[in-house]
């Protein structure tokens, strides 16, 4: 017997990726339900190469009898509907930031902290981390286990799909407008994103950091180690899919490039592709559509006692969102939601 799975936000960039990832990975679903706002009711969305689903209204949906709901419909929608779904006995895996720091909600990257999943039953909600944090903790985990990370300095280069379908459309429309000499309009981003970079993702906080930067700090601590110091600069770049990060770490134990490459290469889900040649590193364009987190440009940081620098890229819609959510669901059905065959 399989599972009844709902995808909330099925018309969005991550929701569509969730549907294709469920089909691709042969998730044991007897039924998949596509949910979005009332304006999308009746819209058809693809589920794998051959099937389509008709979108239903989230507001009218009763989650009783649904085993798992994958939410990717933003923080306010999650705040309104996820607790209701949880109370109706459905386990919610939410992609928004709304529940991530709730002590009663596990925040999970399965390769990193699957053991924390056991706390899910308090609210029947599990949180998926921020896309930039997900790929970062994948790279940090083996380094932390081997060398004990004290401090991380990270700059991100985040694609427009991190802001949903509207973000990708804005990059496309602005690029076209520049070429045909039309006025450039911005609605989703605070400034022009075509042919530009914007050091501002999510809102500004009192200390001058943005909420996106703050999320990287607190989410990394929650998943990896509360003692790690982390400081981030998050930047939106004119790329459709794939986030990149330039990462500097300081460790307690001595670290060298070869040992770092070895522990990272052995870590599930992480691929080290690092040759000092023109094509010996991975870019966002190359990682789009891929499941792995890629690490390149590994080198010693000579400015601190035990320091290492590297470059990390991943498909933000996959490991940063849909794939990670489905891996959480897979871990959940393996450990907690077993059904008789
Ligand atoms: P809809 O298309 O009906 O507005 P993205 O992150 O790519 O912008 O996608 C957001 C997803 O979340 C879309 O599927 C969108 O559905 C859905 N969504 C946003 N607000 C709501 C809401 N209040 N109720 C249900 N679905 C929502």
């Amino acid at each position: 017997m399989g599972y009844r799975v709902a995808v909330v936000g099925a018309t969005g960039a991550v929701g569509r990726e969730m549907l294709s990832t469920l089909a691709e990975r042969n998730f044991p679903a007897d039924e998949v339900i596509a949910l979005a706002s009332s304006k999308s009711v009746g819209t058809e969305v693809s589920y794998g190469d051959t099937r389509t689903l008709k979108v239903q209204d989230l507001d009218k949906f009763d989650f009783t009898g649904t085993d798992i709901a994958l939410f990717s419909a933003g923080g306010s929608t999650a705040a309104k509907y996820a607790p209701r779904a949880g109370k109706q006995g459905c386990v919610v895996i939410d992609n928004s930031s709304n529940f991530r720091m709730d002590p009663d909600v596990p925040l999970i990257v399965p390769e990193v902290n699957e053991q924390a999943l056991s706390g899910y039953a308090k609210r029947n909600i599990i949180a998926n981390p921020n896309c930039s944090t997900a790929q970062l903790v994948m790279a940090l985990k083996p380094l932390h286990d081997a060398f004990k990370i004290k401090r991380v300095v990270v700059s991100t280069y985040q694609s427009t799909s991190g802001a949903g379908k509207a973000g990708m459309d804005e990059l496309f429309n602005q690029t076209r407008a520049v070429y045909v000499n039309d006025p450039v309009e911005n609605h989703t981003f605070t400034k022009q994103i075509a042919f530009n970079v914007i050091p501002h993702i999510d809102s500004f906080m009192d200390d001058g950091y943005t909420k996106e930067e703050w999320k990287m700090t607190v989410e990394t601590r929650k998943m990896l180690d509360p003692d790690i110091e982390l400081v981030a600069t998050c930047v939106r770049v004119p790329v459709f899919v794939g986030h990149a990060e330039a990462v500097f770490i300081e460790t307690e134990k001595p670290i060298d490039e070869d040992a770092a490459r070895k522990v990272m290469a052995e870590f599930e889900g992480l691929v080290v592709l690092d040759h000092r040649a023109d094509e010996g590193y991975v870019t966002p364009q190359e990682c789009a559509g891929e499941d792995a987190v890629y690490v390149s440009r590994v080198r010693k940081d000579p400015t601190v006692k035990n320091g290492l620098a590297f470059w990390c890229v991943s498909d933000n819609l996959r490991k940063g969102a849909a794939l990670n959510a489905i891996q959480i669901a897979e871990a959940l059905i393996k450990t907690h939601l077993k059904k008789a065959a």
Side-chain angles (χ1 to χ4, degrees):
M1 205 173 117
Y3 295 82
R4 191 170 191 242
V5 180
V7 173
V8 178
T11 52
V14 173
R16 285 175 191 273
E17 198 71 38
M18 283 170 163
L19 287 167
S20 65
T21 308
L22 281 171
E24 213 174 86
R25 291 172 74 86
N26 284 322
F27 190 87
D30 278 350
E31 189 184 357
V32 176
I33 302 143
L35 300 170
S37 75
S38 54
K39 81 169 185 341
S40 300
V41 170
T43 306
E44 295 210 333
V45 287
S46 300
Y47 170 46
D49 291 336
T50 51
R51 289 162 287 183
T52 56
L53 304 171
K54 274 212 163 62
V55 172
Q56 301 177 40
D57 188 354
L58 169 65
D59 196 47
K60 296 205 173 78
F61 189 73
D62 184 341
F63 284 89
T64 312
T66 301
D67 299 293
I68 297 169
L70 304 167
F71 269 61
S72 186
S76 55
T77 307
K80 186 167 171 196
Y81 295 97
R84 191 182 86 189
K87 286 198 182 102
Q88 288 172 341
C90 172
V91 183
V92 171
I93 300 169
D94 179 38
N95 197 46
S96 82
S97 62
N98 196 67
F99 300 102
R100 289 181 193 147
M101 297 314 294
D102 182 330
D104 290 336
V105 172
L107 177 66
I108 305 286
V109 170
E111 297 90 336
V112 172
N113 66 337
E114 190 181 319
Q115 76 290 345
L117 206 56
S118 56
Y120 83 93
K122 288 186 188 144
R123 297 198 66 182
N124 259 359
I125 301 174
I126 301 162
N128 209 27
N130 169 268
C131 41
S132 298
T133 315
Q135 70 182 68
L136 180 65
V137 293
M138 284 286 292
L140 295 183
K141 171 70 175 164
L143 296 172
H144 190 51
D145 287 348
F147 307 103
K148 196 156 180 25
I149 297 171
K150 294 196 301 190
R151 179 169 180 257
V152 182
V153 180
V154 54
S155 297
T156 69
Y157 306 75
Q158 297 181 221
S159 67
T160 53
S161 54
K165 186 176 174 304
M168 298 169 84
D169 289 347
E170 188 146 307
L171 173 59
F172 181 87
N173 291 332
Q174 288 184 354
T175 306
R176 190 191 154 279
V178 169
Y179 277 118
V180 300
N181 228 359
D182 273 353
V184 172
E185 292 176 12
N186 56 292
H187 305 286
T188 299
F189 301 115
T190 46
K191 301 205 178 200
Q192 178 179 321
I193 186 64
F195 308 99
N196 200 11
V197 297
I198 307 174
H200 174 191
I201 303 179
D202 210 334
S203 48
F204 280 105
M205 300 174 53
D206 288 345
D207 61 4
Y209 284 87
T210 61
K211 236 178 141 189
E212 185 82 354
E213 292 159 354
W214 171 82
K215 284 181 231 167
M216 291 194 79
T217 303
V218 293
E219 292 178 21
T220 299
R221 285 183 178 159
K222 181 167 174 174
M223 285 185 284
L224 212 52
D225 186 337
D227 291 332
I228 289 178
E229 302 277 12
L230 186 149
V231 62
T233 301
C234 291
V235 181
R236 188 74 69 192
V237 297
V239 167
F240 284 108
V241 176
H243 286 2
E245 298 176 345
V247 188
F248 293 82
I249 64 166
E250 258 185 272
T251 55
E252 214 156 275
K253 296 184 193 162
I255 186 166
D256 69 51
E257 307 161 11
D258 291 338
R261 276 196 207 98
K262 183 168 185 296
V263 295
M264 286 198 277
E266 285 167 359
F267 192 70
E268 192 191 334
L270 208 53
V271 174
V272 178
L273 203 158
D274 187 21
H275 310 292
R276 289 162 187 177
D278 289 351
E279 293 175 53
Y281 50 86
V282 183
T283 60
Q285 188 265 331
E286 292 153 309
C287 76
E290 301 287 328
D291 287 348
V293 173
Y294 294 90
V295 172
S296 309
R297 306 280 333 271
V298 182
R299 61 223 191 267
K300 214 167 160 49
D301 173 0
T303 65
V304 290
K305 189 165 165 236
N306 300 319
L308 190 84
F310 62 91
W311 172 253
C312 167
V313 299
S314 189
D315 181 328
N316 53 297
L317 300 177
R318 289 211 158 214
K319 189 58 191 166
L323 171 66
N324 197 63
I326 288 155
Q327 287 176 315
I328 293 173
E330 288 168 349
L332 189 72
I333 64 175
K334 193 178 66 193
T335 52
H336 297 89
L337 287 190
K338 278 193 196 135
K339 282 197 177 181

